[in-house]
Amino acid sequence: VEAPATNGRNCNGVAGGEDVHTVSLAPDVASVQVLLRTEFMRPLQARVELILQEKDTSDGTPGRILKRTIVEVYSEDGTQRPFFAVLETLARN
């Protein structure tokens, strides 16, 4: 895959500094496409975390983390050299 698919959920957003962008996925999602880029030839530095977590408990306490995948990303020019990856989610089928 060389470019993001045009179908699916689009989570466009502008982030900067220490911003955190969180997206919850349905349990049957097998993989996600991640495209990160910058504007105006700015450097791109990001941390992408994919977390498999048990459901929250009845009292609202977050469930235990079962698996965490971390990708550290850096590009001197996020416009000309954006980051694109397809990450497997470990969906339970």
Side-chain angles (χ1 to χ4, degrees), residues 51-66:
I51 299 171
L52 177 63
Q53 187 172 7
E54 291 178 336
K55 290 185 179 183
D56 293 350
T57 61
S58 58
D59 67 356
T61 305
R64 183 172 57 104
I65 293 175
L66 303 173

Side-chain angles (χ1 to χ4, degrees), residues 41-90:
M41 300 186 312
R42 292 186 177 157
L44 168 66
Q45 185 169 1
R47 177 182 173 120
V48 178
E49 292 188 30
L50 191 58
I51 299 171
L52 177 63
Q53 187 172 7
E54 291 178 336
K55 290 185 179 183
D56 293 350
T57 61
S58 58
D59 67 356
T61 305
R64 183 172 57 104
I65 293 175
L66 303 173
K67 171 89 174 171
R68 182 187 306 245
T69 303
I70 299 171
V71 179
E72 298 279 348
V73 178
Y74 179 78
S75 174
E76 289 182 2
D77 181 347
T79 304
Q80 294 296 317
R81 292 181 294 282
F83 171 78
F84 175 70
V86 177
L87 303 174
E88 300 298 318
T89 63
L90 300 174

Side-chain angles (χ1 to χ4, degrees), residues 14-30:
V14 176
E18 297 291 321
D19 288 356
V20 175
H21 188 82
T22 304
V23 177
S24 295
L25 304 172
D28 61 342
V29 173

